[in-house]
Amino acid sequence: MREPLALYIHWPFCAAKCPYCDFNSHVRDRIDQPAFAAALRQELAREAERAGRRPLASIFFGGGTPSLMAPSTAAALIEDATRLFDPLPDIEITLEANPTSVELAKLRDFRAAGINRASLGVQALDPVALAFLGRKHDTREAIAALEAARETFPRLSFDLIYARPGQQEAAWRAELRQALALAADHLSLYQLTIEPGTQFATLFGRGAFTLPEGEEAERLYTATAEEAAGFGLRAYEVSNYAKPGAESRHNLAYWRYGDYLGIGAGAHQRLSFADGTLRAARRHRAPEEWLARVRRDGHAVVEEEALSPRDRAREALLMGLRLHEGIDPARIEARSTLPFEDCVDRRALDGLAEEGLLEWRADGRLAATADGLLRLDALLPVLLR
């Protein structure tokens, strides 16, 4: 049986653009929902024909803010996907949502549409932090959304942003405990970084605020793992914590370098074919141009290439070493068609192991240590051949 697929569906629209966000998200006064729904279904049908009938492990509605779409759109796409592919009995179907009253009112409709996992963009429970981050919800709405989602969906995840201006460890620990007490299944953690082209990049460049960095940011990161562990969540990836069995199956497909389809404006995908190639594709980012291209051509792919064995090895290592489980050299070899020794700099690997940044596990997997995970961005360029 061929490996199961993961399916990503991008809804590119938001009610407002957050000042830190560099995602492919757009604010529009009016959205032709039926037109975008039809185009998503059209692009999905085209990719399903190319991929062939394969097992489907997960569907992820991301954005943008996909909870702004009509629940009927989600229902139609889920129906299409589970007809065109063979859904696993425990298929995971995730919807990203923000904790605003508008989206909160639709949660039950999304559950009826087939969503069985919600991912809430809480980002903070501190009122000052929420205002600074430009979020449309307040603390009361965030708490209400966590409670409502907990009652509505079998599985629940939420996002928090740390290393905010002036953030103190004691306050961060209290904020974590409050959130985890409400929704202790899965936490995705994001360090606030300054991305080019964002409003924060302009403000930061002017010296309007500073961010915790270095050891100060590391202390906040370490505190997160400690507080999450108190609620039974383990760190299974650099920035993700979950109770055993509550890990994001969709994101694990990326990190384990599995095949995934991506439809919608700006979506990426990696898909293997019977001829042994692994093809990377990218779609047009602008929503209106994406729509026009799908209507005209059946898809909006603007770039597609067969990845070389070296590129495949590099991507698999970059993704896999983010996981606490590490990487299986045999998996790297199978996905890249290269011997593992040709994928890494052996002298660098041995040196990093001596420094306590990498380790060989008893099961034969290579993994970053706790210190290595903190320094992964610096470690990987040294390791990769």
Side-chain angles (χ1 to χ4, degrees):
M1 184 178 74
R2 298 178 71 184
E3 284 193 8
L5 283 171
L7 170 63
Y8 176 81
I9 300 173
H10 190 73
W11 185 258
F13 302 111
C14 283
K17 186 76 171 179
C18 294
Y20 56 85
C21 177
D22 70 337
F23 292 170
N24 186 35
S25 60
H26 306 263
V27 178
R28 297 289 185 269
D29 292 332
R30 180 182 175 278
I31 301 167
D32 188 343
Q33 291 238 11
F36 278 91
L40 285 168
R41 297 181 70 183
Q42 186 177 357
E43 197 166 51
L44 174 58
R46 187 256 188 181
E47 289 304 323
E49 184 176 358
R50 296 180 72 220
R53 192 160 195 94
R54 294 177 58 173
L56 182 64
S58 64
I59 303 172
F60 194 103
F61 291 89
T65 308
S67 51
L68 294 176
M69 74 166 59
S72 59
T73 298
L77 286 161
I78 292 168
E79 182 179 355
D80 287 354
T82 53
R83 172 175 49 81
L84 294 166
F85 300 107
D86 296 321
L88 298 185
D90 61 347
I91 185 172
E92 174 189 271
I93 306 177
T94 302
L95 177 88
E96 289 185 333
N98 287 324
T100 66
S101 56
V102 172
E103 295 164 72
L104 188 59
K106 297 159 68 174
L107 291 184
R108 289 186 179 179
D109 290 335
F110 279 115
R111 179 70 185 106
I115 304 297
N116 58 25
R117 182 176 181 270
S119 178
L120 291 183
V122 173
Q123 313 309 2
L125 289 180
D126 176 78
V128 174
L130 284 171
F132 171 74
L133 294 169
R135 303 299 290 167
K136 301 291 284 185
H137 63 274
D138 58 24
T139 303
R140 178 187 55 80
E141 286 179 308
I143 292 171
L146 286 168
E147 292 173 341
R150 173 82 285 150
E151 295 173 359
T152 306
F153 298 98
R155 300 177 62 203
L156 174 61
S157 177
F158 66 99
D159 300 345
L160 288 178
I161 293 175
Y162 80 107
R164 307 183 304 243
Q167 191 171 34
Q168 300 298 310
E169 182 181 335
W172 174 232
R173 286 180 179 272
E175 190 175 346
L176 282 166
R177 287 193 291 270
Q178 184 182 10
L180 289 164
L182 291 165
D185 277 3
H186 188 285
L187 164 64
S188 292
L189 182 71
Y190 298 94
Q191 182 173 351
L192 182 58
T193 55
I194 304 303
E195 303 295 343
T198 62
Q199 183 182 346
F200 270 3
T202 302
L203 294 171
F204 188 78
R206 294 174 183 166
F209 62 88
T210 60
L211 298 177
E213 55 186 18
E215 292 184 359
E216 190 178 1
E218 284 186 17
R219 283 196 297 272
L220 296 170
Y221 179 82
T222 301
T224 305
E226 292 172 355
E227 294 298 334
F231 287 83
L233 281 72
R234 67 179 184 92
Y236 71 99
E237 191 267 347
V238 170
S239 299
N240 285 270
Y241 308 78
K243 285 185 175 178
E247 299 87 354
S248 170
R249 298 170 204 161
H250 183 85
N251 287 335
L252 280 171
Y254 299 150
W255 296 321
R256 290 171 175 166
Y257 206 55
D259 278 12
Y260 60 93
L261 294 178
I263 66 167
H268 291 242
Q269 71 183 36
R270 298 289 185 275
L271 186 63
S272 55
F273 290 87
D275 64 0
T277 61
L278 177 64
R279 303 191 70 84
R282 176 179 62 84
R283 287 162 166 74
H284 202 288
R285 287 174 58 87
E288 290 77 15
E289 180 62 20
W290 171 86
L291 178 61
R293 289 177 181 236
V294 174
R295 283 173 160 172
R296 184 187 68 210
D297 303 324
H299 68 91
V301 173
V302 293
E303 183 181 338
E304 183 170 86
E305 64 172 331
L307 296 174
S308 70
R310 184 74 57 201
D311 286 339
R312 290 153 72 160
R314 175 178 290 272
E315 288 189 345
L317 284 160
L318 284 170
M319 300 301 286
L321 282 174
R322 296 180 61 86
L323 290 168
H324 279 249
E325 70 184 23
I327 57 171
D328 179 357
R331 171 70 175 171
I332 302 297
E333 293 179 347
R335 291 296 274 174
S336 71
T337 71
L338 290 175
F340 184 70
E341 293 293 332
D342 290 348
C343 302
V344 298
D345 184 320
R346 188 69 202 204
R347 290 182 63 183
L349 193 162
D350 292 343
L352 291 168
E354 288 179 11
E355 292 179 43
L357 300 175
L358 291 177
E359 63 181 3
W360 286 102
R361 301 271 175 82
D363 60 2
R365 303 179 76 91
L366 178 67
T369 64
D371 285 343
L373 287 170
L374 287 171
R375 293 156 180 79
L376 206 54
D377 289 344
L379 177 157
L380 288 168
V382 175
L383 176 65
L384 299 175
R385 289 181 67 104

